[in-house]
Amino acid sequence: MADNLNKSVPAQLDDHTTFLGAGVTEENVFQYRYQIMNTPDPQSMMQAVEEQTRANIREAFRLNPDLKIFTANDVKIDYIYTDSAGTILKTIHITPKDYK
């Protein structure tokens, strides 16, 4: 799944967000990496992104059959957001209890 996602990176998602890629750690954590730019206050933007992500996660897993591999294997997910210098602004940790 990560390899398929990485075929089209970097991908500009909106004026402030670029999808940089995905990967899987040895601890079975699926990681999505994003870069935030063009905003004077990235931290307040990160708070809104986290609220939206957490609010939508169960619905996304219910509707998207491609995500069944996560539920079947109890995969943890990290959404990692960095600034243009590569400094981590926020990591949103999602556990199986968040999406089941």
Side-chain angles (χ1 to χ4, degrees), residues 1-15:
M1 186 177 212
D3 289 341
N4 285 338
L5 289 170
N6 290 333
K7 289 178 183 175
S8 61
V9 296
Q12 190 73 37
L13 302 179
D14 58 36
D15 290 342

Side-chain angles (χ1 to χ4, degrees), residues 20 31-36 42-43 46 78-93:
L20 299 176
Q31 297 179 325
Y32 294 98
R33 295 181 312 279
Y34 299 91
Q35 183 181 66
I36 301 298
Q43 287 303 328
M46 288 292 82
D78 283 346
Y79 295 88
I80 303 168
Y81 293 85
T82 61
D83 62 16
S84 57
T87 303
I88 294 176
L89 299 168
K90 181 81 173 175
T91 300
I92 302 171
H93 301 286

Side-chain angles (χ1 to χ4, degrees), residues 39-90:
T39 180
D41 187 9
Q43 287 303 328
S44 68
M45 185 176 171
M46 288 292 82
Q47 182 176 349
V49 166
E50 181 170 8
E51 289 172 7
Q52 175 126 11
T53 299
R54 292 198 181 279
N56 295 334
I57 198 77
R58 285 181 197 246
E59 188 72 2
F61 274 80
R62 186 179 70 76
L63 294 175
N64 188 342
D66 293 338
L67 299 177
K68 288 187 190 294
I69 192 166
F70 289 92
T71 57
N73 295 290
D74 289 331
V75 176
K76 295 177 184 171
I77 305 164
D78 283 346
Y79 295 88
I80 303 168
Y81 293 85
T82 61
D83 62 16
S84 57
T87 303
I88 294 176
L89 299 168
K90 181 81 173 175

